[in-house]
Amino acid sequence: MKKLQELKKIVYAELMENEEAIRSDTALIMGVCKRLGIDTSESYADLALSGKLRQIENGSITRCRRKILEENPELADKRTTKIRNEQQQKYIDFSKVAGI
């Protein structure tokens, strides 16, 4: 739990200082990696093999962003929120039609 709280602080800092991180998972993950001292110019395979990726999990970073934006809705990008909500509704509608 402590690691997740620390990650949440890092994600919050990235969101506050990098507007693109609010709209883009890639920008957020890259920014968080840089803040953690991970050389983002290395290949993903090299980073994984060296163990440098053990300190993060991409899903945890985006979950932290969702939690932060839930707690601070004024930070959310309106256009991105609209697009995400539309995509979510498409999945909900599909699951109803498919009987899932």
Side-chain angles (χ1 to χ4, degrees):
M1 186 68 158
K2 183 179 179 185
K3 282 180 77 172
L4 193 56
Q5 288 298 332
E6 291 172 15
L7 182 60
K8 186 177 174 187
K9 289 177 186 177
I10 294 167
V11 170
Y12 182 80
E14 184 63 22
L15 291 173
M16 294 303 293
E17 295 174 21
N18 180 1
E19 193 175 309
E20 183 63 24
I22 293 173
R23 293 185 294 273
S24 167
D25 287 347
T26 302
L28 176 63
I29 292 166
M30 294 285 287
V32 168
C33 286
K34 287 177 184 176
R35 287 175 183 273
L36 291 170
I38 297 171
D39 181 1
T40 57
S41 67
E42 288 185 53
S43 74
Y44 188 86
D46 289 341
L47 290 171
L49 288 172
S50 69
K52 293 177 183 175
L53 294 180
R54 287 189 193 127
Q55 58 185 313
I56 63 156
E57 180 185 323
N58 293 349
S60 295
I61 293 171
T62 56
R63 279 193 296 274
C64 284
R65 180 190 51 211
R66 285 192 299 273
K67 186 64 176 170
I68 290 166
L69 294 179
E70 178 184 306
E71 294 170 353
N72 303 277
E74 69 280 2
L75 295 177
D77 178 69
K78 306 288 187 256
R79 183 173 160 264
T80 304
T81 301
K82 181 181 179 207
I83 292 168
R84 286 183 178 144
N85 288 340
E86 288 170 355
Q87 290 300 316
Q88 181 180 15
Q89 190 59 49
K90 286 180 184 177
Y91 284 107
I92 291 169
D93 294 344
F94 172 76
S95 66
K96 287 178 183 176
V97 171
I100 298 175

